[in-house]
Amino acid sequence: DANPTEQAVIQSIRLPRIFLAFIVGAGLGISGGIMQGLFRNSMADPGIIGVSSGGAAGAVLAIASGLSAVSTFFLPLFAFIGSAFSMAVVFLIASVGGRFSMATLLLGGIAVSSFLGALTTATIIFTNDLNMQRQIIFWIAGGFDTARWESVQIATPIIVAGSVITIFVARDLNLLFVSEDEARALGVRVILMRNTLLIAASLITGAAVAFSGIIAFVGLVVPHVVRLLVGADHRVLLPLSALGGGLFLLVADTAARVVLSPAELRVGVVTALIGAPFFIYLLLRSRGAFSESSGGMR
């Protein structure tokens, strides 16, 4: 019984937004699982090597130059290029001297993120157009209000392909998680596998950031929770992190849309409001469990 307007709203606005929110959440969730496994640190997240900051810098450039007003696809294109450029710079820094270093990768990612963040802030400050400033701030806060089927068609193949690759090599990630020396002794091509996982996670994150903006805590909290529930076997953890990330972001986007209706919150704000307190709770709980086990040992 729906009239043509209602059908258009469902088919052209609601459904692509639902699909994009789920696929972006899945990408951030599985990327977070990969990063936490590679760095052997549950505090790692997809933006740890500067991919998110690169995407933000690219998007801000597209908005500030006026190209985003020419075509809606210039913004995600520049965001993806920014993410890829940032990833390439960090990899280059980590490979200086002919020897790849994970510690240098991490520190290089922090430095590049800080530099790009400063450029983004400076662009906002020196932009005189208030409407342009508003667009930049809205994009950085993350959201799916501009989601269309074209966005889903572009983002989905990249995120799905990267996710499938990582799931197929999850066994090798298990071995890398234990020890690179043990993985090498068991026949894993450590350098190739590590680079493959890093590039796959970076491309997934870049594609997600390009169409959603920066959305915090999905890639940090979801894999952490999944690990607490099912353990550290990445053959199980990665698919469930993708599923959990997709569902979490879908719920967050729905809440952002309806809580203050007809006004709308940014999804990045909702995920931070939910994710930050929950993650603090997890940290305190883990610390308590560690203290109890240490007391028992004494």
Side-chain angles (χ1 to χ4, degrees), residues 113-165:
S113 293
S114 299
F115 179 77
L116 293 174
L119 288 181
T120 300
T121 303
T123 303
I124 295 173
I125 292 173
F126 290 110
T127 299
N128 295 322
D129 190 327
L130 294 179
N131 183 52
M132 198 172 286
Q133 286 184 340
R134 178 182 172 86
Q135 289 182 47
I136 293 172
I137 293 171
F138 261 54
W139 190 91
I140 292 174
F144 299 101
D145 48 302
T146 59
R148 297 295 180 267
W149 283 119
E150 293 82 1
S151 307
V152 177
Q153 291 167 356
I154 295 172
T156 299
I158 300 172
I159 294 175
V160 170
S163 300
V164 169
I165 290 171

CSV table of all heavy atoms in Angstrom, one decimal, residues 113-165:
chain,number,residue,atom,x,y,z
A,113,SER,N,49.9,10.5,11.5
A,113,SER,CA,48.5,10.9,11.9
A,113,SER,C,48.5,12.2,12.5
A,113,SER,O,47.6,13.0,12.3
A,113,SER,CB,48.0,9.8,12.9
A,113,SER,OG,47.8,8.6,12.3
A,114,SER,N,49.5,12.5,13.4
A,114,SER,CA,49.6,13.8,14.0
A,114,SER,C,49.8,14.9,13.0
A,114,SER,O,49.1,16.0,13.1
A,114,SER,CB,50.7,13.9,15.0
A,114,SER,OG,50.5,12.9,16.1
A,115,PHE,N,50.6,14.7,12.0
A,115,PHE,CA,50.9,15.7,11.0
A,115,PHE,C,49.7,16.0,10.1
A,115,PHE,O,49.3,17.1,9.9
A,115,PHE,CB,52.1,15.2,10.1
A,115,PHE,CG,52.4,16.1,9.0
A,115,PHE,CD1,53.1,17.3,9.2
A,115,PHE,CD2,52.0,15.9,7.7
A,115,PHE,CE1,53.5,18.2,8.2
A,115,PHE,CE2,52.3,16.7,6.6
A,115,PHE,CZ,53.1,17.9,6.9
A,116,LEU,N,49.0,14.9,9.7
A,116,LEU,CA,47.8,15.1,8.9
A,116,LEU,C,46.7,15.7,9.7
A,116,LEU,O,45.9,16.5,9.2
A,116,LEU,CB,47.4,13.7,8.3
A,116,LEU,CG,48.3,13.1,7.3
A,116,LEU,CD1,47.9,11.7,6.9
A,116,LEU,CD2,48.4,14.0,6.1
A,117,GLY,N,46.6,15.3,11.0
A,117,GLY,CA,45.6,15.9,11.8
A,117,GLY,C,45.8,17.4,12.0
A,117,GLY,O,44.8,18.2,12.0
A,118,ALA,N,47.1,17.8,12.1
A,118,ALA,CA,47.4,19.3,12.1
A,118,ALA,C,47.0,20.0,10.8
A,118,ALA,O,46.4,21.1,10.9
A,118,ALA,CB,48.9,19.5,12.4
A,119,LEU,N,47.2,19.3,9.7
A,119,LEU,CA,46.9,19.9,8.4
A,119,LEU,C,45.3,20.1,8.3
A,119,LEU,O,44.8,21.1,7.8
A,119,LEU,CB,47.4,19.1,7.3
A,119,LEU,CG,48.9,19.1,7.0
A,119,LEU,CD1,49.2,18.2,5.8
A,119,LEU,CD2,49.4,20.5,6.7
A,120,THR,N,44.6,19.1,8.8
A,120,THR,CA,43.2,19.1,8.7
A,120,THR,C,42.6,20.2,9.6
A,120,THR,O,41.8,21.0,9.2
A,120,THR,CB,42.6,17.8,9.2
A,120,THR,OG1,43.0,16.7,8.3
A,120,THR,CG2,41.1,17.8,9.2
A,121,THR,N,43.2,20.4,10.8
A,121,THR,CA,42.8,21.4,11.7
A,121,THR,C,43.1,22.8,11.1
A,121,THR,O,42.2,23.7,11.2
A,121,THR,CB,43.5,21.3,13.1
A,121,THR,OG1,43.2,20.0,13.6
A,121,THR,CG2,43.0,22.4,14.0
A,122,ALA,N,44.3,23.0,10.5
A,122,ALA,CA,44.6,24.2,9.9
A,122,ALA,C,43.7,24.6,8.8
A,122,ALA,O,43.3,25.8,8.6
A,122,ALA,CB,46.1,24.2,9.4
A,123,THR,N,43.3,23.6,8.0
A,123,THR,CA,42.4,23.9,6.9
A,123,THR,C,41.1,24.4,7.4
A,123,THR,O,40.5,25.3,6.8
A,123,THR,CB,42.2,22.6,6.1
A,123,THR,OG1,43.4,22.1,5.6
A,123,THR,CG2,41.3,22.8,4.9
A,124,ILE,N,40.6,23.8,8.5
A,124,ILE,CA,39.3,24.2,9.0
A,124,ILE,C,39.4,25.6,9.5
A,124,ILE,O,38.5,26.5,9.3
A,124,ILE,CB,38.9,23.3,10.2
A,124,ILE,CG1,38.6,21.9,9.7
A,124,ILE,CG2,37.6,23.8,10.9
A,124,ILE,CD1,38.3,20.8,10.7
A,125,ILE,N,40.5,25.9,10.2
A,125,ILE,CA,40.7,27.3,10.8
A,125,ILE,C,40.8,28.4,9.7
A,125,ILE,O,40.2,29.4,9.8
A,125,ILE,CB,42.0,27.3,11.7
A,125,ILE,CG1,41.8,26.4,12.9
A,125,ILE,CG2,42.3,28.7,12.1
A,125,ILE,CD1,43.0,26.2,13.8
A,126,PHE,N,41.5,28.1,8.6
A,126,PHE,CA,41.7,29.1,7.6
A,126,PHE,C,40.7,29.1,6.5
A,126,PHE,O,40.8,29.9,5.6
A,126,PHE,CB,43.1,28.9,7.0
A,126,PHE,CG,44.2,29.2,7.9
A,126,PHE,CD1,45.1,28.2,8.4
A,126,PHE,CD2,44.5,30.6,8.3
A,126,PHE,CE1,46.1,28.5,9.3
A,126,PHE,CE2,45.5,30.9,9.2
A,126,PHE,CZ,46.3,29.9,9.7
A,127,THR,N,39.6,28.3,6.7
A,127,THR,CA,38.5,28.3,5.7
A,127,THR,C,37.5,29.3,6.1
A,127,THR,O,37.0,29.2,7.2
A,127,THR,CB,37.9,26.9,5.6
A,127,THR,OG1,38.8,26.0,5.2
A,127,THR,CG2,36.7,26.9,4.6
A,128,ASN,N,37.3,30.3,5.3
A,128,ASN,CA,36.4,31.4,5.7
A,128,ASN,C,34.9,31.1,5.4
A,128,ASN,O,34.0,31.7,6.0
A,128,ASN,CB,36.7,32.7,4.9
A,128,ASN,CG,38.1,33.2,5.2
A,128,ASN,OD1,38.5,33.2,6.4
A,128,ASN,ND2,38.8,33.7,4.2
A,129,ASP,N,34.6,30.1,4.6
A,129,ASP,CA,33.3,29.7,4.2
A,129,ASP,C,32.7,28.8,5.4
A,129,ASP,O,33.2,27.7,5.6
A,129,ASP,CB,33.3,28.9,2.9
A,129,ASP,CG,31.9,28.7,2.4
A,129,ASP,OD1,31.0,28.5,3.2
A,129,ASP,OD2,31.7,28.6,1.2
A,130,LEU,N,31.7,29.4,6.1
A,130,LEU,CA,31.2,28.6,7.2
A,130,LEU,C,30.5,27.4,6.8
A,130,LEU,O,30.5,26.3,7.5
A,130,LEU,CB,30.2,29.5,8.0
A,130,LEU,CG,30.8,30.8,8.7
A,130,LEU,CD1,29.7,31.6,9.4
A,130,LEU,CD2,31.8,30.3,9.7
A,131,ASN,N,29.8,27.4,5.6
A,131,ASN,CA,29.2,26.2,5.1
A,131,ASN,C,30.2,25.1,4.8
A,131,ASN,O,30.0,23.9,5.1
A,131,ASN,CB,28.4,26.5,3.9
A,131,ASN,CG,27.6,25.3,3.4
A,131,ASN,OD1,26.9,24.6,4.1
A,131,ASN,ND2,27.8,25.0,2.1
A,132,MET,N,31.4,25.5,4.3
A,132,MET,CA,32.4,24.5,4.0
A,132,MET,C,33.0,24.0,5.3
A,132,MET,O,33.3,22.8,5.4
A,132,MET,CB,33.5,25.2,3.2
A,132,MET,CG,34.5,24.3,2.5
A,132,MET,SD,35.5,25.2,1.4
A,132,MET,CE,34.4,25.6,0.1
A,133,GLN,N,33.2,24.8,6.3
A,133,GLN,CA,33.6,24.4,7.6
A,133,GLN,C,32.6,23.3,8.2
A,133,GLN,O,33.1,22.3,8.8
A,133,GLN,CB,33.8,25.5,8.6
A,133,GLN,CG,35.0,26.4,8.3
A,133,GLN,CD,35.1,27.5,9.4
A,133,GLN,OE1,34.1,27.8,10.1
A,133,GLN,NE2,36.3,28.1,9.5
A,134,ARG,N,31.4,23.6,8.1
A,134,ARG,CA,30.3,22.7,8.6
A,134,ARG,C,30.4,21.3,7.9
A,134,ARG,O,30.3,20.3,8.5
A,134,ARG,CB,29.0,23.3,8.4
A,134,ARG,CG,27.8,22.5,8.8
A,134,ARG,CD,26.5,23.2,8.5
A,134,ARG,NE,25.3,22.3,8.8
A,134,ARG,CZ,24.7,22.2,9.9
A,134,ARG,NH1,25.2,22.8,11.0
A,134,ARG,NH2,23.7,21.4,10.1
A,135,GLN,N,30.6,21.4,6.6
A,135,GLN,CA,30.8,20.1,5.8
A,135,GLN,C,32.0,19.3,6.3
A,135,GLN,O,31.9,18.1,6.5
A,135,GLN,CB,30.9,20.4,4.3
A,135,GLN,CG,29.7,20.9,3.6
A,135,GLN,CD,29.9,21.1,2.1
A,135,GLN,OE1,30.5,20.2,1.5
A,135,GLN,NE2,29.5,22.3,1.6
A,136,ILE,N,33.1,20.0,6.5
A,136,ILE,CA,34.3,19.3,7.0
A,136,ILE,C,34.1,18.7,8.4
A,136,ILE,O,34.4,17.5,8.6
A,136,ILE,CB,35.5,20.3,7.0
A,136,ILE,CG1,35.8,20.7,5.6
A,136,ILE,CG2,36.7,19.6,7.7
A,136,ILE,CD1,36.9,21.8,5.6
A,137,ILE,N,33.5,19.4,9.3
A,137,ILE,CA,33.3,18.9,10.6
A,137,ILE,C,32.3,17.8,10.6
A,137,ILE,O,32.5,16.7,11.3
A,137,ILE,CB,32.8,20.1,11.6
A,137,ILE,CG1,33.9,21.1,11.7
A,137,ILE,CG2,32.3,19.5,12.9
A,137,ILE,CD1,33.4,22.4,12.4
A,138,PHE,N,31.2,17.9,9.8
A,138,PHE,CA,30.3,16.8,9.7
A,138,PHE,C,30.9,15.5,9.1
A,138,PHE,O,30.6,14.4,9.6
A,138,PHE,CB,29.1,17.2,8.8
A,138,PHE,CG,27.9,17.7,9.6
A,138,PHE,CD1,28.0,18.7,10.5
A,138,PHE,CD2,26.6,17.2,9.4
A,138,PHE,CE1,27.0,19.1,11.3
A,138,PHE,CE2,25.5,17.6,10.1
A,138,PHE,CZ,25.7,18.6,11.0
A,139,TRP,N,31.8,15.7,8.1
A,139,TRP,CA,32.4,14.5,7.6
A,139,TRP,C,33.3,13.8,8.6
A,139,TRP,O,33.4,12.6,8.7
A,139,TRP,CB,33.2,14.9,6.3
A,139,TRP,CG,33.7,13.6,5.6
A,139,TRP,CD1,33.0,13.0,4.6
A,139,TRP,CD2,34.9,12.9,5.8
A,139,TRP,NE1,33.7,11.9,4.2
A,139,TRP,CE2,34.9,11.8,4.9
A,139,TRP,CE3,36.0,13.1,6.7
A,139,TRP,CZ2,35.9,10.9,4.9
A,139,TRP,CZ3,37.0,12.2,6.6
A,139,TRP,CH2,37.0,11.1,5.7
A,140,ILE,N,34.1,14.6,9.3
A,140,ILE,CA,35.1,14.1,10.3
A,140,ILE,C,34.3,13.4,11.4
A,140,ILE,O,34.8,12.3,11.9
A,140,ILE,CB,35.9,15.2,10.9
A,140,ILE,CG1,36.9,15.8,9.8
A,140,ILE,CG2,36.7,14.7,12.1
A,140,ILE,CD1,37.7,16.9,10.2
A,141,ALA,N,33.1,13.8,11.7
A,141,ALA,CA,32.3,13.2,12.8
A,141,ALA,C,31.7,11.9,12.4
A,141,ALA,O,31.3,11.1,13.2
A,141,ALA,CB,31.2,14.1,13.3
A,142,GLY,N,31.7,11.6,11.1
A,142,GLY,CA,31.3,10.3,10.6
A,142,GLY,C,29.8,10.2,10.4
A,142,GLY,O,29.0,10.6,11.3
A,143,GLY,N,29.3,9.6,9.4
A,143,GLY,CA,27.9,9.4,9.2
A,143,GLY,C,27.5,8.8,7.8
A,143,GLY,O,28.4,8.6,7.0
A,144,PHE,N,26.2,8.4,7.7
A,144,PHE,CA,25.8,7.8,6.4
A,144,PHE,C,24.6,8.5,5.8
A,144,PHE,O,23.9,7.9,5.0
A,144,PHE,CB,25.4,6.3,6.8
A,144,PHE,CG,26.5,5.5,7.3
A,144,PHE,CD1,26.6,5.2,8.7
A,144,PHE,CD2,27.5,5.0,6.5
A,144,PHE,CE1,27.6,4.5,9.2
A,144,PHE,CE2,28.5,4.2,7.0
A,144,PHE,CZ,28.6,4.0,8.4
A,145,ASP,N,24.5,9.7,6.1
A,145,ASP,CA,23.3,10.5,5.5
A,145,ASP,C,23.4,10.7,4.0
A,145,ASP,O,22.4,10.9,3.4
A,145,ASP,CB,23.2,11.9,6.2
A,145,ASP,CG,24.5,12.6,6.3
A,145,ASP,OD1,25.5,12.0,6.9
A,145,ASP,OD2,24.6,13.7,5.8
A,146,THR,N,24.6,10.5,3.5
A,146,THR,CA,24.8,10.7,2.0
A,146,THR,C,24.9,9.3,1.3
A,146,THR,O,25.3,9.3,0.1
A,146,THR,CB,26.1,11.5,1.7
A,146,THR,OG1,27.2,10.9,2.2
A,146,THR,CG2,26.0,12.9,2.3
A,147,ALA,N,24.6,8.3,2.0
A,147,ALA,CA,24.7,6.9,1.4
A,147,ALA,C,23.8,6.8,0.2
A,147,ALA,O,22.6,7.1,0.3
A,147,ALA,CB,24.4,5.9,2.5
A,148,ARG,N,24.3,6.2,-0.9
A,148,ARG,CA,23.5,5.9,-2.0
A,148,ARG,C,24.0,4.5,-2.5
A,148,ARG,O,25.0,4.0,-2.1
A,148,ARG,CB,23.7,6.9,-3.1
A,148,ARG,CG,23.3,8.3,-2.8
A,148,ARG,CD,21.8,8.4,-2.6
A,148,ARG,NE,21.3,9.7,-2.2
A,148,ARG,CZ,21.1,10.1,-1.0
A,148,ARG,NH1,21.4,9.3,0.0
A,148,ARG,NH2,20.7,11.4,-0.7
A,149,TRP,N,23.2,3.9,-3.4
A,149,TRP,CA,23.6,2.6,-3.9
A,149,TRP,C,24.9,2.6,-4.6
A,149,TRP,O,25.6,1.6,-4.5
A,149,TRP,CB,22.5,2.1,-4.9
A,149,TRP,CG,21.2,1.6,-4.2
A,149,TRP,CD1,20.0,2.1,-4.4
A,149,TRP,CD2,21.1,0.5,-3.3
A,149,TRP,NE1,19.1,1.4,-3.6
A,149,TRP,CE2,19.8,0.4,-2.9
A,149,TRP,CE3,22.0,-0.4,-2.7
A,149,TRP,CZ2,19.3,-0.6,-2.0
A,149,TRP,CZ3,21.6,-1.4,-1.8
A,149,TRP,CH2,20.2,-1.4,-1.5
A,150,GLU,N,25.3,3.7,-5.2
A,150,GLU,CA,26.6,3.8,-5.9
A,150,GLU,C,27.7,3.6,-4.8
A,150,GLU,O,28.7,3.0,-5.1
A,150,GLU,CB,26.8,5.1,-6.6
A,150,GLU,CG,25.9,5.2,-7.8
A,150,GLU,CD,24.5,5.7,-7.5
A,150,GLU,OE1,24.2,5.9,-6.3
A,150,GLU,OE2,23.6,5.8,-8.4
A,151,SER,N,27.5,4.2,-3.6
A,151,SER,CA,28.5,4.1,-2.6
A,151,SER,C,28.6,2.6,-2.1
A,151,SER,O,29.7,2.1,-1.9
A,151,SER,CB,28.0,4.9,-1.4
A,151,SER,OG,27.8,6.3,-1.7
A,152,VAL,N,27.5,1.9,-2.0
A,152,VAL,CA,27.5,0.5,-1.6
A,152,VAL,C,28.2,-0.3,-2.7
A,152,VAL,O,29.1,-1.2,-2.3
A,152,VAL,CB,26.1,0.0,-1.4
A,152,VAL,CG1,26.1,-1.5,-1.1
A,152,VAL,CG2,25.4,0.8,-0.3
A,153,GLN,N,28.0,0.0,-3.9
A,153,GLN,CA,28.6,-0.8,-5.0
A,153,GLN,C,30.1,-0.6,-5.1
A,153,GLN,O,30.8,-1.5,-5.5
A,153,GLN,CB,27.9,-0.4,-6.4
A,153,GLN,CG,26.5,-0.8,-6.5
A,153,GLN,CD,25.7,-0.2,-7.6
A,153,GLN,OE1,26.3,0.7,-8.3
A,153,GLN,NE2,24.5,-0.6,-7.8
A,154,ILE,N,30.6,0.6,-4.7
A,154,ILE,CA,32.0,0.8,-4.8
A,154,ILE,C,32.7,0.3,-3.5
A,154,ILE,O,33.8,-0.4,-3.6
A,154,ILE,CB,32.3,2.3,-4.9
A,154,ILE,CG1,31.8,2.8,-6.2
A,154,ILE,CG2,33.8,2.6,-4.8
A,154,ILE,CD1,31.8,4.4,-6.4
A,155,ALA,N,32.1,0.5,-2.3
A,155,ALA,CA,32.8,0.1,-1.1
A,155,ALA,C,32.8,-1.4,-0.9
A,155,ALA,O,33.7,-2.0,-0.4
A,155,ALA,CB,32.1,0.8,0.1
A,156,THR,N,31.6,-2.0,-1.2
A,156,THR,CA,31.5,-3.5,-0.9
A,156,THR,C,32.5,-4.4,-1.5
A,156,THR,O,33.1,-5.2,-0.8
A,156,THR,CB,30.1,-3.9,-1.3
A,156,THR,OG1,29.1,-3.2,-0.6
A,156,THR,CG2,29.9,-5.4,-1.0
A,157,PRO,N,32.9,-4.3,-2.8
A,157,PRO,CA,33.9,-5.2,-3.4
A,157,PRO,C,35.2,-5.1,-2.7
A,157,PRO,O,35.9,-6.1,-2.4
A,157,PRO,CB,33.9,-4.8,-4.8
A,157,PRO,CG,32.7,-4.1,-5.1
A,157,PRO,CD,32.3,-3.4,-3.9
A,158,ILE,N,35.6,-3.9,-2.3
A,158,ILE,CA,36.9,-3.7,-1.7
A,158,ILE,C,36.9,-4.3,-0.3
A,158,ILE,O,37.9,-5.0,0.1
A,158,ILE,CB,37.3,-2.2,-1.6
A,158,ILE,CG1,37.3,-1.5,-3.0
A,158,ILE,CG2,38.6,-1.9,-0.9
A,158,ILE,CD1,37.5,0.0,-3.0
A,159,ILE,N,35.9,-4.0,0.5
A,159,ILE,CA,35.9,-4.5,1.8
A,159,ILE,C,35.7,-6.0,1.9
A,159,ILE,O,36.3,-6.7,2.6
A,159,ILE,CB,34.7,-3.8,2.6
A,159,ILE,CG1,35.1,-2.3,2.8
A,159,ILE,CG2,34.5,-4.4,4.0
A,159,ILE,CD1,34.0,-1.5,3.4
A,160,VAL,N,34.8,-6.5,1.0
A,160,VAL,CA,34.6,-8.0,1.0
A,160,VAL,C,35.9,-8.7,0.5
A,160,VAL,O,36.3,-9.7,1.1
A,160,VAL,CB,33.4,-8.3,0.1
A,160,VAL,CG1,33.3,-9.8,-0.2
A,160,VAL,CG2,32.1,-7.8,0.7
A,161,ALA,N,36.5,-8.2,-0.5
A,161,ALA,CA,37.7,-8.9,-1.0
A,161,ALA,C,38.8,-8.9,0.0
A,161,ALA,O,39.5,-9.9,0.3
A,161,ALA,CB,38.2,-8.2,-2.3
A,162,GLY,N,39.0,-7.7,0.7
A,162,GLY,CA,40.1,-7.7,1.7
A,162,GLY,C,39.7,-8.6,2.9
A,162,GLY,O,40.6,-9.3,3.4
A,163,SER,N,38.4,-8.7,3.2
A,163,SER,CA,38.0,-9.5,4.4
A,163,SER,C,38.2,-11.0,4.0
A,163,SER,O,38.7,-11.8,4.9
A,163,SER,CB,36.6,-9.2,4.7
A,163,SER,OG,36.4,-7.9,5.1
A,164,VAL,N,37.9,-11.4,2.8
A,164,VAL,CA,38.0,-12.8,2.4
A,164,VAL,C,39.5,-13.2,2.4
A,164,VAL,O,39.8,-14.3,2.9
A,164,VAL,CB,37.4,-13.0,1.0
A,164,VAL,CG1,37.8,-14.4,0.5
A,164,VAL,CG2,35.9,-12.9,1.1
A,165,ILE,N,40.3,-12.3,2.0
A,165,ILE,CA,41.8,-12.6,2.0
A,165,ILE,C,42.3,-12.9,3.4
A,165,ILE,O,43.0,-13.8,3.7
A,165,ILE,CB,42.6,-11.5,1.3
A,165,ILE,CG1,42.3,-11.5,-0.2
A,165,ILE,CG2,44.1,-11.7,1.6
A,165,ILE,CD1,42.9,-10.3,-0.9
